[in-house]
Structures are given as structure tokens and as C-alpha cells.
Amino acid sequence: MGDIHRYDVPDTWPTWCPGCGNFGIWNAMKNAYANMDLAPHKTAIVCGIGCSGNLSYWINTYVLHSLHGRSIPVAQGVKLANSDLTVIVHAGDGDTYGEGLGHLLHAARRNIDITVFVHDNQVYGLTTGQPSPTSFKGTKWKVAPEGVFAAPVPPLPLALIAGATFVGRGFSGENKHLSELIVKAIRHRGFSLVDIGQPCVTFNHVNTWKWWNDHVYTLDETEHDRFDYDLALKKAQEVGDKIPIGVLYEVEKPTFDDEYRSLNAETLARAPIEDIDVDKLMARHL
Amino acid sequence: MSNSRLNWKIGGEAGYGIMTVGEIFSKAFIKGGYCVVAHTEYPSLIRGGHNTFQVRIDAQRIRAPIQPVDILVALNAETVELDLNDLVPGGVLLYDAQSSNVAPTREDIILCEVPLLQLVTDLQLPKVAVNVAAMGASVGLIGYELTLLNAAIQDAFGGKGEKIVEQNVSAARAGYDYVTRAYPEPYKGGLAPIQGPRRMTLTGNDAICMGALKAGMKFIAIYPMTPTHTIMTYIASHAREYGVAMVQPEDEIAGINMAVGASFAGARSMVATSGGGFSLMVEGLGLAGATENPLVVVDGQRPGPSTGLATRTAQGDLRFCLHASQGDFFRVVLAPGDPEECFFETFRAFNLADALQTPVLVLTDKHLATTFFAAEPFETNGLAIDRGLLLAEGEVPADFKRYEATPTGVSARTVPGVEGGIFNANSDEHDERGHFSEDAPVVATLVDKRCRKYFTAAALLDGIKYHGNVTSGTVLVGWGSTKGAILDAMDFLRARDGVELGFLQVLFMSPFPSQLVKERLEGKRVVLIENNRGAQLGSLIKEHAQIRPDHTILRYDGRAFNADELYERIKEVL
Ligand SMILES: Cc1ncc(C[n+]2csc(CCOP(=O)(O)OP(=O)(O)O)c2C)c(N)n1
Ligand code: SF4
Ligand SMILES: [Mg+2]
């Protein structure tokens, strides 16, 4: 077990609202990193834009605080350029399931070895409380006084169908469990999505701490066979009275970055580029 | 045609291989010592529609198409209808009466009937082979060397196996034999191979790819869009050889954001697209600007907002490229005018992107990107890689500030994996360490830092090229792909009218070479030439050099200037 304070940015403290679920995620991730003894300089975290993405200010690794909805493409570029890095995304539900939903599905089908953690507070936090793609149908908001008309996006089933090779759900309030889940997701080689229940105490008055505590239950590893795709798809759709947390699905498959790596023996970011010969190309045009 | 030049045009419907003809026919003459410009016009259709390739061949240096055609090869009736008026009096219409069954309406031309379809059917070849038979027939008609055409066929089809090569060679031979028997006298004395420099046959896109590979581009994301889609083909076929990752992303938004990520991780990265795709990339461009990540962006322009004319040409994106993205940051914008510049300026674009840690935009257009030109092999000795202030392991100072507000605006950079170099590449306004900051003086300091790169870049670059007569009272001004037509029109003026003009080519639009432009244009009669409606370079010259053009020659119908047409239009204003 490494030192968890290695991952703190000195002289800073998160500006999340007191009681925000992001604190739990932040602690769990640092614990997970310390557990894995992750080298900060060999880790690249790409964040989206939201309260969730602001985490970029308070984690001491290489970070790219990107655009709303675009952290998954950025992370894929990082991974392809240097597959020796551990590449991790932290983004919001608006980020990942709204603005950037297409990117999520395409990254899943590529099975590129990055790990995506979605801080799913079922609300747009940073823009002060609009419904998000995972807000429940019928919930009322300032900007949806008649209630949300559309059904929520089902991220985990979508990711499974698209080809994600690791799918899990965590809850900010189950901190030790979350920390272990984070370790498993990062260790998994291939595309991993972990949706994390994250109460927003300021703007989401539906999915509160109490609501979450009343609904989540931990998947029993002896009962749930995480290698069974059909079972995983069924569990992924269990978001009613009971919401399972844990590893829903896991499978080993060749990754997108491995395919590229087999093409290019060198790590792209480190390949020497002095004196590249293009005379042979020119000869083909003569 | 005299016996040192020929303007040859072939037309037919899409799906019958007109596209491959242009390169093969060009190469047959470039191998024979000639200079060639071969451009294609086609609608945005896969089957049907009117496709043409026009190949201008000359013993002298030429750089642009001209309109009057010496030999028109019609593979269908539509070509006869649409292109017959391009033929010069005394020119040849080479056609197959069976497939182009129309009565040509002109009496001042020579009809050369060749049963192309019958010839290839007799050889049991598919119908598409008529275009190769037509090339053979054309070579026969002018008494040129069939072996040179065969060599070009070998180059084009060699990768598909000997059988395909033999079939095409036999189709060419059949056309050649038929014509030399039926019309034994070479047309107007014929065209023979000459002693000329060894030249490559290549498009602007080919040259961009070579420049990028030479520069060590390691990551490229391209979502297909005319006219940069052939960059994708080129890089794909050399990706393994050069160790490049080429990704076809789900959209251009993903493409540019992937490229920013790859660049952040240390790989030289590029995206290529056209205006529509670039529109989608704009927020990602700003991300590269804000986080000071090197990036090369190629915009192959085509006409119109929205879908426009997908397969035609224009120079309408200049202002857009200069200003795309909200907020203040510096980007380099440059526009090569021929294949040499496509190669050398793309190479330089990667060095500038690294040296200035900001996006570099390379503007081409359909005309430059897809026309085949003749170019002598590029001299690559002396091309040195400059990665700028990129710190390697062990070079990171103890108190590393990634965004230190240096006098040049450029600060030392690390990439993930380098110990001691951790920072936040932050799209929020930030302080010198990358930490989020809304502190007013900090914000202003860092905005100034980014924008100071303008002056750093300006000190590195000339930004213009001046061609022709330095004492001319009249100076032509242009940018990008019009360079070829302008230089050729100047040759016509010199040869036919004894007039020697000057031409100011603006190569860099950002940083704008204000002083040099002013020096060259002050007190001159300025004739501005652009392939757009808004005279966008003209407006930049007014803004930066306070000079108004005296005359403006614009074309914005989706077609490039022909050199002869431009010659006439320049004469009108002289
Ligand atoms: C292109 C773009 N559109 C809109 C915004 C404004 N915006 C900032 S954060 C946000 C929503 C954040 O919601 P979510 O992703 O769920 O993150 P949270 O704040 O809830 O953690 C929006 C719409 C933006 N930054 N960029
Ligand atoms: S608004 Fe909600 S999500 Fe954002 S910091 Fe406050 S509690 Fe957390
Ligand atoms: Mg949210």
C-alpha cells in the first residue's frame, strides 16, 4: 500500500459542496491508486467538464481537463500514442451520456484499454441543476416544471451491447467497495465503464443519499457470474427498487491499442523521428 | 497542339475508371520528359454523371490547366454534347460511334472514330477497359511512345498482379494499333519524348502525406470527406511502413480530440478534413489552443456553406480558419500553392506546431489536393526536426511551471511518463502551473502569454514569396492554389504581350506578414486574384497593410482558374 497523499495536489482542497458524493469518489480513487501503487507520472487522467471534471484540480497525476463530452476521444488519443500509460477518464453523466454518448459506444466497440468513471448524479451539477440524460422520467426541475418527458438513457446495457469488456456500478457511499471496484476496472485490460452513483446534495432532491442507501445492494460474487453476458445484461437493467453494485461483466478480448501496437513496434510518442526516409516514397511517383 | 504541347481531355460517366486514367496518362508523359497538369471535374455521384480528366502536357514548365482542348476523347454521348466546344478548330474528337452515338455538330474538327468497345470485347476484357484502349489510341494518334504508357500502366496496376497489368497493356496496344493503322499520319506532326528532368507525378495531397511522414507524424485521425479523403488512402497504405496510427473516428469531433490527446502524450498529430468537418472540429481546435498542444490541421476547401459542391474547388475558408473558436489564442494559418509547398510547408507545420505549441492550419482546396502535377523530387537534406521546448526525462527543473509566462510566450513542456513533469493541461483559464484560476491579473497574464506567440512566430517567418518582375508597377496578389494559374498567366503575358508583371504570393495568413506585404504593394497597382466571392485575402490586406486592391478578379463557381482565362481577365484590367 502506497501513500495516499502522493495523489493530493499540495495546498488545495476540493470546492465541491459539503456532502457532495464527489468526495467519496475522490477518496476511493486515491485509495485505489495507493493500493495499486500507481505511479503518478505514468498515469494520465482525462476529465470532462462539470463538477465531476473539476476533480482534475485535485489529483496529482498528469491530467488533461478537456471539453464537455469529449474526454473519451481525448483519452483514446493518449492511449494510442503511449499504451504504457494508465489512462483514466472522470466525467459526468451529462458529459458521457448526453454530449458524448456516441463516443462512449465507439470506444466500447473498439475495446480500447481505457477506464471510464462516470460520476452519475442524474443532474447537471455545474450548470446549476438541469435534468441530465439519467434523470428519471417524470422528475420535476426548474427547467422541466411539468416533469422530464423522456425515459433515461440506460448506460450500462448500452455499453454491454456496444462491446465494453468490463462493466460495473459503484456508489460513492460504499467507499471501500468502490475503491476495490476502481482497482478492478483499472486492472482490466480493455474498455471499462464504471457508473458511480453520486448524490448531488444541492440540486438532485430525488436521488439523495437516503434514496441511494435504500436502493443499492452489493452483488454477491458467488451468486453473480460476472463472465455471463446474458446475466450481466439482465443485471444491468436492474435499476428499479433494487440497484446492484459491483462488477456486472468482465471478459478478456484483444484491445484496439494492441492491434495498433502490433502494427507499430515502437510506442508512438517515443519513436525516433529524425531522418525519416521518404526517398522511397518519392521513387514510387517517378 | 504544336509538337511541344498537347491539351487532352477524356470524358465519360462515373464508374468507368476516368479517375485512374488521369494519373496514368500524366505519368506516361512525365516519364517522357514533359511537364503535366491533370485535373478532374466530376459531380458528387458514384455512378453516372459527367466525369472528365483533362491533361495538359507541355515541354515548358506549366502549373495550371488551360481551356482549349486539342484532343477530346468521348467515352459517351454526353461528353460530345458538353465538351465539344472546348475543342480548338482543327482539334480531334476521338470517339466510339457505337457508344457515343451522336452526330458531332462541328465541321471544323477532325473525327477519329475508334471502335473502343469492340476492341476490348474482342480481347474479352470488361467494359471499363475502354478508357485504357482510349489512352492507347490517343498515344497512337500523336505518335508517342507506347512503351511509356505501358510503364505508367505497370506502375498503376503492378500491385494488382501481372495478369491485370497484361490485360491493360493489351487494351492500350489494341487502341494504339487500330489508330496507327487507320490514321498512319501522326496528328500535327506528333509528340515525341524529350530530354526533361526526372519528375514525380503527384497530387497536393500526396505531397502533404510525404511531408507529414517526413516530419514524423505518428497519429492521424481522418473522417472521410472530399477532398482530403485521399490523404486517408495514402497514409493507410504506408502506416505500417512508417509506424503511424491512423484512426477513422466516429466523427470529426472525436478525430480532433483524439489528436489533441495523442499530442498531449507526445506524438506528432494531425487531422485532415474539409470545411464541414472542420466546423465540427472547432471546439477541439480551441482545446489545443487553450492547453497549448501542438496540432496540425489540414482543411481541403470546397465551395459553399453546408454541403456545398462536394467535389469542386474554392478558397472560401480563409476567414473561418483564422477565427474558428471562441476566445483569444494564436494559431498559425498557412496555404501552400503547389506540391513543393505542400511537402515543405507540411513538414514545417509540424515544427511550428511544436515550436509554438499551438495548432497550425494548412489550407488547400480540391484543385490543389487532387490535381496531378509534375514535380522534381524534393530535396530533403537539411530538413531538421524541431520539437521545441519538449523536456525529456531528467531535464525537468525542480520548480517546473508548464505554462510559465515567458517572453516568447512558449514554455517548456513535458509529456506523461516524464517524472517530475506532472501538470494539468487545463482547458479552464489557469495559472503558470495549469491550476484553474479566475484571478484577474493571472488570467490576463496567461492570455497575453498565449497571444505573444504571434510575434514569436512572425519573427521566424517571412510569410510571403515574391515572383517575377520586382519593378513592375502592377502587382498580382494571391494565395494558395491560384499560384499555378497566376504564374502561367504571367508566362502568357510575357510571351504574347511582352509584359513582365510581379506576383505577391501570401503564404502565411497568421501571423500576417504585414510589413512585407506593405513594402511590396505600396504605390503599386494591385490586382487581387482569389477563388472566392468575398475577396478574403483582400480584406486581410486592408486590415493589416491598409492597402486596397485596385482590381479584383474572383471566381466562385466551384472551378479553379484556367491560366488562359486568367490571362484574359488580367489583360482586361491592365
Ligand atoms: C459544449 C458545452 N456545452 C455546454 C457546456 C456547459 N456545461 C458545463 S458543465 C455542464 C453539465 C454538467 O453535467 P454533468 O456532465 O452531469 O457533470 P456534473 O456537473 O453533474 O458533474 C454543461 C452543460 C459546456 N461547458 N460545453
Ligand atoms: S452541485 Fe452537486 S455535484 Fe456539484 S459539487 Fe455541489 S453537490 Fe456536488
Ligand atoms: Mg451530472
Side-chain angles (χ1 to χ4, degrees):
Chain A
M1 175 92 187
D3 173 13
I4 139 159
H5 297 298
R6 252 175 117 184
Y7 306 101
D8 284 330
V9 177
D11 310 319
T12 63
W13 186 253
T15 53
W16 292 310
C17 309
C20 172
N22 281 319
F23 283 102
I25 300 175
W26 183 58
N27 273 323
M29 75 189 270
K30 288 189 291 174
N31 269 314
Y33 294 2
N35 251 322
M36 301 171 74
D37 206 14
L38 213 58
H41 70 284
K42 290 184 182 158
T43 305
I45 299 182
V46 183
C47 292
I49 300 299
C51 295
S52 40
N54 286 354
L55 175 141
S56 79
Y57 315 144
W58 308 301
I59 188 78
N60 190 37
T61 65
Y62 277 94
V63 176
L64 201 158
H65 190 200
S66 68
L67 297 170
H68 189 47
R70 313 302 167 198
S71 41
I72 291 179
V74 172
Q76 290 175 84
V78 175
K79 187 70 188 181
L80 287 174
N82 187 350
S83 52
D84 300 336
L85 300 172
T86 301
V87 181
I88 297 167
V89 167
H90 281 272
D93 44 323
D95 258 334
T96 319
Y97 308 143
E99 197 89 288
L101 180 62
H103 304 314
L104 172 70
L105 303 183
H106 285 279
R109 84 177 163 94
R110 292 183 184 114
N111 192 33
I112 186 164
D113 184 20
I114 63 173
T115 308
V116 176
F117 297 106
V118 178
H119 302 214
D120 191 352
N121 53 8
Q122 296 165 274
V123 66
Y124 283 13
L126 196 62
T127 45
T128 66
Q130 302 80 10
S132 88
T134 48
S135 300
F136 291 149
K137 186 170 180 187
T139 50
K140 292 192 175 172
W141 308 84
K142 239 189 237 164
V143 296
E146 311 298 331
V148 170
F149 294 156
V153 163
L156 300 186
L158 283 177
L160 280 170
I161 288 168
T165 52
F166 185 104
V167 170
R169 182 184 282 112
F171 168 45
S172 170
E174 292 287 346
N175 218 262
K176 190 164 173 298
H177 175 269
L178 178 60
S179 181
E180 287 163 8
L181 182 60
I182 290 172
V183 171
K184 288 177 194 157
I186 293 173
R187 289 220 166 110
H188 172 75
R189 283 180 48 76
F191 184 79
S192 317
L193 172 68
V194 179
D195 186 85
I196 306 171
Q198 176 241 313
C200 167
V201 294
T202 306
F203 295 114
N204 188 332
H205 304 300
V206 180
N207 312 100
T208 58
W209 284 107
K210 177 172 182 335
W211 183 90
W212 274 103
N213 279 316
D214 288 349
H215 286 75
V216 294
Y217 75 99
T218 308
L219 278 173
D220 184 336
E221 281 182 25
T222 53
E223 265 170 35
H224 178 73
D225 177 3
R226 67 182 191 281
F227 303 109
D228 181 336
Y229 180 81
D230 294 331
L231 185 62
L233 200 53
K234 210 166 135 218
K235 281 279 166 202
Q237 293 174 75
E238 207 179 293
V239 284
D241 283 349
K242 289 272 162 211
I243 302 178
I245 57 171
V247 182
L248 274 76
Y249 184 62
E250 190 178 350
V251 67
E252 187 98 13
K253 284 194 180 157
T255 70
F256 194 67
D257 33 308
D258 281 343
E259 305 274 5
Y260 276 95
R261 190 128 195 177
S262 70
L263 278 182
N264 314 299
E266 305 261 13
T267 295
L268 298 178
R270 282 199 296 266
I273 59 170
E274 300 291 340
D275 298 319
I276 291 176
D277 174 25
V278 290
D279 290 354
K280 55 190 175 184
L281 287 184
M282 291 196 275
R284 287 172 212 166
H285 291 264
L286 284 169
Chain B
M1 167 185 165
S2 78
N3 42 21
S4 66
R5 59 184 66 100
L6 173 74
N7 204 21
W8 180 88
K9 184 172 188 175
I10 187 167
E13 66 184 90
Y16 287 94
I18 299 286
M19 295 306 173
T20 48
V21 165
E23 182 174 11
I24 294 170
F25 205 67
S26 302
K27 215 170 177 186
F29 288 88
I30 291 173
K31 282 176 188 280
Y34 285 91
C35 198
V36 167
V37 176
H39 78 289
T40 176
E41 293 292 347
Y42 60 104
S44 184
L45 296 170
I46 300 301
R47 289 273 162 183
H50 183 53
N51 286 20
T52 65
F53 231 111
Q54 187 171 320
V55 185
R56 181 183 174 204
I57 301 158
D58 204 306
Q60 308 284 316
R61 174 85 199 267
I62 52 165
R63 313 156 189 89
I66 54 169
Q67 182 136 21
V69 169
D70 301 300
I71 298 177
L72 175 66
V73 179
L75 296 184
N76 61 0
E78 197 180 15
T79 303
V80 180
E81 282 159 23
L82 294 174
D83 297 316
L84 198 64
N85 285 338
D86 285 353
L87 266 184
V88 293
V92 180
L93 174 68
L94 194 159
Y95 73 117
D96 182 343
Q98 201 186 332
S99 47
S100 316
N101 129 42
V102 285
T105 50
R106 280 177 61 177
E107 304 206 325
D108 61 341
I109 55 168
I110 300 167
L111 298 182
C112 177
E113 252 191 74
V114 184
L116 296 166
L117 190 58
Q118 191 58 48
L119 292 175
V120 301
T121 313
D122 289 349
L123 289 167
Q124 293 173 341
L125 295 179
K127 198 181 158 192
V128 290
V130 294
N131 61 53
V132 182
M135 286 194 281
S138 303
V139 165
L141 188 64
I142 54 168
Y144 191 68
E145 279 287 336
L146 185 63
T147 48
L148 292 174
L149 179 61
N150 289 342
I153 289 173
Q154 170 75 43
D155 289 352
F157 295 112
K160 295 185 177 167
E162 263 323 292
K163 183 147 181 265
I164 301 284
V165 173
E166 271 166 33
Q167 288 178 343
N168 281 285
V169 165
S170 68
R173 159 118 259 154
Y176 180 87
D177 286 347
Y178 182 90
V179 167
T180 46
R181 237 177 284 124
Y183 306 87
E185 200 52 38
Y187 173 63
K188 286 201 179 168
L191 203 69
I194 55 170
Q195 282 301 323
R198 282 189 87 200
R199 293 195 181 103
M200 303 182 287
T201 307
L202 84 178
T203 64
N205 275 352
D206 293 341
I208 285 174
C209 292
M210 289 182 197
L213 292 172
K214 175 71 188 161
M217 174 194 73
K218 289 289 152 193
F219 181 88
I220 179 166
I222 309 192
Y223 189 89
M225 188 167 191
T226 310
T228 45
H229 59 298
T230 61
I231 291 180
M232 209 174 166
T233 324
Y234 196 105
I235 298 295
S237 54
H238 298 95
R240 183 186 286 271
E241 192 178 353
Y242 283 88
V244 172
M246 190 188 83
V247 177
Q248 180 176 336
E250 54 272 30
D251 53 37
E252 289 86 347
I253 301 176
I256 194 166
N257 283 290
M258 286 178 180
V260 170
S263 171
F264 167 72
R268 284 192 153 183
S269 303
M270 168 168 151
V271 291
T273 183
S274 188
F278 183 61
S279 298
L280 294 183
M281 290 183 178
V282 168
E283 196 188 18
L285 184 80
L287 175 64
T291 56
E292 304 192 38
N293 266 303
L295 180 67
V296 175
V297 179
V298 175
D299 173 21
Q301 301 164 96
R302 59 193 222 187
S306 182
T307 311
L309 293 167
T311 58
R312 311 283 177 179
T313 201
Q315 296 184 306
D317 296 0
L318 176 53
R319 279 287 186 185
F320 177 37
C321 286
L322 284 166
H323 303 294
S325 171
Q326 71 276 25
D328 288 312
F329 69 96
F330 167 68
R331 91 278 311 267
V332 175
V333 178
L334 68 95
D338 56 27
E340 284 82 359
E341 288 170 358
C342 284
F343 177 79
F344 289 107
E345 297 308 331
T346 302
F347 180 86
R348 177 150 68 163
F350 282 93
N351 277 350
L352 288 173
D354 266 341
L356 298 163
Q357 298 175 4
T358 205
V360 177
L361 278 63
V362 180
L363 266 81
T364 63
D365 53 37
K366 175 258 175 182
H367 180 67
L368 178 57
T370 65
T371 295
F372 286 96
F373 298 91
E376 285 172 49
F378 309 127
E379 179 51 65
T380 56
N381 280 334
L383 287 183
I385 300 287
D386 174 11
R387 297 231 52 185
L389 298 177
L390 179 64
L391 299 180
E393 193 76 58
E395 292 176 355
V396 189
D399 188 31
F400 175 59
K401 294 182 188 145
R402 165 66 186 96
Y403 297 108
E404 189 176 344
T406 62
T408 59
V410 184
S411 43
R413 164 176 177 240
T414 54
V415 299
V418 171
E419 207 154 1
I422 282 173
F423 71 100
N424 185 346
N426 201 339
S427 70
D428 291 305
E429 289 293 359
H430 44 259
D431 65 15
E432 290 183 309
R433 290 179 200 280
H435 295 163
F436 172 56
S437 175
E438 300 210 4
D439 183 72
V442 169
V443 170
T445 301
L446 269 284
V447 172
D448 280 341
K449 169 209 191 299
R450 287 199 300 263
C451 294
R452 231 169 10 248
K453 295 177 187 178
Y454 188 101
F455 304 102
T456 306
L460 291 174
L461 301 165
D462 279 350
I464 62 155
K465 285 188 184 174
Y466 192 89
H467 308 267
N469 182 2
V470 283
T471 61
S472 171
T474 301
V475 178
L476 310 176
V477 185
W479 63 283
S481 74
T482 54
K483 176 183 182 183
I486 294 173
L487 288 174
D488 280 8
M490 286 164 66
D491 285 350
F492 289 148
L493 280 161
R494 191 181 307 111
R496 298 176 192 172
D497 308 279
V499 175
E500 298 252 10
L501 294 185
F503 164 36
L504 176 72
Q505 178 196 359
V506 181
L507 191 60
F508 281 77
M509 287 76 186
S510 172
F512 194 83
S514 315
Q515 199 48 41
L516 291 172
V517 167
K518 213 173 194 149
E519 282 166 18
R520 292 294 186 171
L521 298 186
E522 206 126 61
K524 304 281 187 177
R525 193 148 62 110
V526 175
V527 181
L528 177 76
I529 299 165
E530 294 191 59
N531 220 179
N532 59 44
R533 189 175 184 283
Q536 299 183 19
L537 176 66
S539 74
L540 282 182
I541 293 173
K542 272 182 249 173
E543 177 183 332
H544 293 279
Q546 294 79 46
I547 290 170
R548 290 177 76 88
D550 299 281
H551 303 283
T552 306
I553 299 176
L554 304 174
R555 184 167 185 177
Y556 43 87
D557 56 1
R559 273 70 174 175
F561 285 104
N562 287 309
D564 53 324
E565 165 212 357
L566 189 58
Y567 161 77
E568 297 293 345
R569 291 184 68 177
I570 294 169
K571 269 185 75 169
E572 278 168 25
V573 301
L574 278 187

